[in-house]
Amino acid sequence: MSLIETYDDLLRNCAELEEARKGDGQVKGLYADLIGRGAVFLAYLTGDGIAFAPSRFIGYTENTLLGHEQLEGRDGRDTNKRVREILRGQFGFTIWNLEDEVTEAYYLGFCDRLGIVPRKSKKTFWITPEVGDWLEENTADRIDAQEIATLEQEVMADSSLPKTTREAIVKARIGQGLFRRRVIQKYGCCLITEIEEPALLVASHIKPWGDCRKDPRECLDPENALLLSPTWDRLFDQGFISFTDQGEMIISDDLKREVRKALGVGKQKIKLTRDQTAYMAWHRKIHNFE
């Protein structure tokens, strides 16, 4: 059996899994075993919520539950690579299969509802833009509505980008959807306080969303971000602090001394990647640190 060639091949395999999930008998048992033993999943949406498709199943073309059990030489390394390639072709950027606590909680709940006992092993997930939006609670936008509308029109008119990428960029709001999930997956904690609680983390663009007109893909780039707890995010977003290329904090003269003391703003230092430093130069410029 050969590896999948198109996104439609992948979707067809997901549909095969859906039929098995709602079936009975031997096929239902094979489905339960497949889901329980899986380690790498594509999360996808159904009419009744979120479901999970194991890489080792969806990576082979025209797969069936019965055929999969008889398939010799099944190798998750091959299917992982192919699924990643297919998703990149569909969405225009690489979606990595990564650990994600929220998604894993949904996976465990999914298994519990179906009476499946999952194997105790590390799980990783591909999270597509639509699934990322489904997983995220909406938060208030912090960008002027007219500015959003203008940039959305420019992005959607940019025919050099795949349609799915344009749609994903339009959805990339601060604190929402795919951008926030990618930043949390990449950095894991507040870069200053090291707080890891997702509810207390804000994915803050370094180069503002509205300034990414020349290359709208910067809206989705996790390198164009700092992951911060709310107070530090506010200080950074409002230009009260910035950082040198070495990650040393720069404090604006507009931040009063008593406020600095109350908030514990000193000479904190963070680690920046090479790509983050390029974006940080933009932040320093627009907030008059240079």
Side-chain angles (χ1 to χ4, degrees), residues 5 19-20 64 66 81 86 92 113 188 208 221 229 240 253 255-256 266-267 273 275 278:
E5 296 290 340
E19 288 188 21
T64 65
L66 293 174
K81 180 179 179 181
I86 293 297
R113 289 193 301 275
D221 186 0
S229 52
F240 287 113
D253 292 337
L255 190 62
K256 297 178 180 179
K267 288 294 183 179
T273 67
D275 289 335

Side-chain angles (χ1 to χ4, degrees), residues 92-108:
F93 54 88
T94 300
I95 300 176
W96 298 98
N97 56 295
L98 300 170
E99 294 182 75
D100 186 274
E101 290 183 359
V102 174
T103 309
E104 184 164 1
Y106 275 104
Y107 164 74
L108 294 175

Side-chain angles (χ1 to χ4, degrees), residues 54-110:
S55 164
R56 289 181 67 184
F57 182 86
I58 60 173
Y60 292 106
T61 187
E62 297 184 351
N63 210 350
T64 65
L65 270 296
L66 293 174
H68 186 74
E69 285 301 303
Q70 300 168 10
L71 179 62
E72 296 181 0
R74 292 172 295 180
D75 194 328
R77 291 171 297 183
D78 293 337
T79 55
N80 289 350
K81 180 179 179 181
R82 181 53 57 87
V83 171
R84 187 179 305 122
E85 291 170 349
I86 293 297
L87 292 177
R88 179 175 178 82
Q90 176 68 17
F91 295 103
F93 54 88
T94 300
I95 300 176
W96 298 98
N97 56 295
L98 300 170
E99 294 182 75
D100 186 274
E101 290 183 359
V102 174
T103 309
E104 184 164 1
Y106 275 104
Y107 164 74
L108 294 175
F110 178 76

Side-chain angles (χ1 to χ4, degrees), residues 106-125:
Y106 275 104
Y107 164 74
L108 294 175
F110 178 76
C111 290
D112 184 62
R113 289 193 301 275
L114 295 174
I116 297 172
V117 179
R119 185 175 64 177
K120 292 183 179 179
S121 62
K122 183 178 78 171
K123 314 293 183 189
T124 62
F125 305 90

Side-chain angles (χ1 to χ4, degrees), residues 181-192:
R181 298 196 67 79
R182 295 183 78 184
V183 173
I184 289 178
Q185 288 170 344
K186 183 174 180 65
Y187 302 108
C189 66
C190 171
L191 296 178
I192 295 176

